Amino acid sequence: MVHVQNMDHLIIMIIKNAEFLTSVALGSNLPNDSAPEIAIAGKSNVGKSSFINFLVNQKSLAKTSSTPGRTRLVNFFSINKGELYLVDLPGYGFARVSDEEKDKWAKLIEGYLTSSPMLKGVFLLVDCRLEPTDNDRLLIQFLYSMNIGCTIIATKCDKLSKMQRSIMKKKIANGLAVGEKDVIMTSASAKIGKEEVLQVIDQILNN
Ligand code: GDP
C-alpha cells in the first residue's frame, strides 16, 4: 500500500500508476480478481470522466463524452498495478432514453453492486450546484441497506464561490441524509478536492 502523510497530516493514497483494464457490458461477467473495488456512479454529464482523469492525473484515461449517456459499459481502471480497481459505472438518468431502458440500467447497476464481492465503497457524483434527486436518494438508500459505504463527490465546485460551496455542501448532505464529512467538494478543472478523496480511498483500503 503506497500512502504518505501530507502537510495537513492526512494519510492519503498515492496514485503512482493508473491503467485501463477492461470494459464489460453491465450484466455480463465482471473481472473477479482479488483487488478491492471502488465504484463511481452518477448521472450522465455530472463530470465523472473528468473526475477520474483528475484523480489519476491523466488527461484522457476515462473518455469524456459530449453525448451524455452514451457509455453503457462498466470500465475498470487498475490503480498502482492492481492495488485498487476504480469501477466506472454507466451514468444513469439520461433524459433522452425510455423509462424501460432506465429501469434496465438501474437493475444492471444494482446487479453489479449486489454481486461484486470485492466492492469496498462507492463514490456517488452529484453536481454541486443542484439539490440531490430521487435517483441519488434511492441509490444511497440502497447502498446503506447493503452496508456499502458511500462518499458524495460534489463536482464542478469551481462554478461556486466559497460561501456558496459551504451552503450547497449542507444542502446536499441534508438532502441525502448523510453527514457533511461525507460530502467532498471537487473541481476537475480547478483541481480542488483531490487530497480529500485520496484520504477516503486510503481509509477504504485500510478498513
Ligand atoms: P460524464 O458524462 O459524467 O463523464 O462527464 P464529463 O467528464 O464528460 O463532463 C461533462 C461536462 O462537464 C463537460 O463539458 C466537462 O467539460 C464539464 N466538466 C467536468 N468537470 C468539470 C469541472 O470540474 N468544472 C467545470 N466547470 N466543468 C466540468
Side-chain angles (χ1 to χ4, degrees), residues 43-50 64-65 156 158-159 187-189:
K43 274 202 300 263
S44 302
N45 221 30
V46 70
K48 191 149 56 73
S49 313
S50 306
T64 53
S65 100
K156 310 186 189 183
D158 55 286
K159 301 267 192 186
S187 163
S189 32

Side-chain angles (χ1 to χ4, degrees), residues 37-97:
E37 294 170 6
I38 296 179
I40 306 184
K43 274 202 300 263
S44 302
N45 221 30
V46 70
K48 191 149 56 73
S49 313
S50 306
F51 169 74
I52 294 172
N53 291 334
F54 164 52
L55 192 63
V56 304
N57 216 6
Q58 289 190 28
K59 274 210 177 81
S60 55
L61 184 68
K63 302 271 179 289
T64 53
S65 100
S66 51
T67 314
R70 229 183 43 189
T71 328
R72 286 157 203 219
L73 296 172
V74 184
N75 300 311
F76 284 76
F77 301 105
S78 170
I79 305 300
N80 297 346
K81 306 272 178 198
E83 191 178 350
L84 163 73
Y85 289 165
L86 290 179
V87 183
D88 178 14
L89 296 174
Y92 59 83
F94 178 44
R96 270 182 274 160
V97 302

Side-chain angles (χ1 to χ4, degrees), residues 5 7 12 16 30 46 48 50 65 75 89 98 108 141 167 171 203:
Q5 200 165 33
M7 282 184 356
I12 62 168
K16 282 188 169 168
L30 304 170
V46 70
K48 191 149 56 73
S50 306
S65 100
N75 300 311
L89 296 174
S98 66
L108 289 168
Q141 281 162 9
I167 293 170
K171 281 197 179 166
Q203 285 165 356

Side-chain angles (χ1 to χ4, degrees), residues 99-113:
D99 282 352
E100 196 185 330
E101 200 162 354
K102 277 185 201 161
D103 282 354
K104 207 166 112 196
W105 284 359
K107 285 214 175 64
L108 289 168
I109 288 180
E110 220 175 273
Y112 159 72
L113 294 171

Side-chain angles (χ1 to χ4, degrees), residues 83-159:
E83 191 178 350
L84 163 73
Y85 289 165
L86 290 179
V87 183
D88 178 14
L89 296 174
Y92 59 83
F94 178 44
R96 270 182 274 160
V97 302
S98 66
D99 282 352
E100 196 185 330
E101 200 162 354
K102 277 185 201 161
D103 282 354
K104 207 166 112 196
W105 284 359
K107 285 214 175 64
L108 289 168
I109 288 180
E110 220 175 273
Y112 159 72
L113 294 171
T114 47
S115 67
S116 174
M118 295 307 287
L119 181 65
K120 301 294 178 210
V122 173
F123 289 160
L124 172 59
L125 271 60
V126 299
D127 187 312
C128 74
R129 296 162 293 179
L130 306 175
E131 307 240 353
T133 63
D134 285 346
N135 261 341
D136 298 326
R137 271 185 283 276
L138 278 175
L139 185 62
I140 295 264
Q141 281 162 9
F142 176 72
L143 292 171
Y144 278 107
S145 75
M146 297 279 307
N147 215 10
I148 300 168
C150 182
T151 299
I152 313 304
I153 308 289
T155 60
K156 310 186 189 183
C157 79
D158 55 286
K159 301 267 192 186

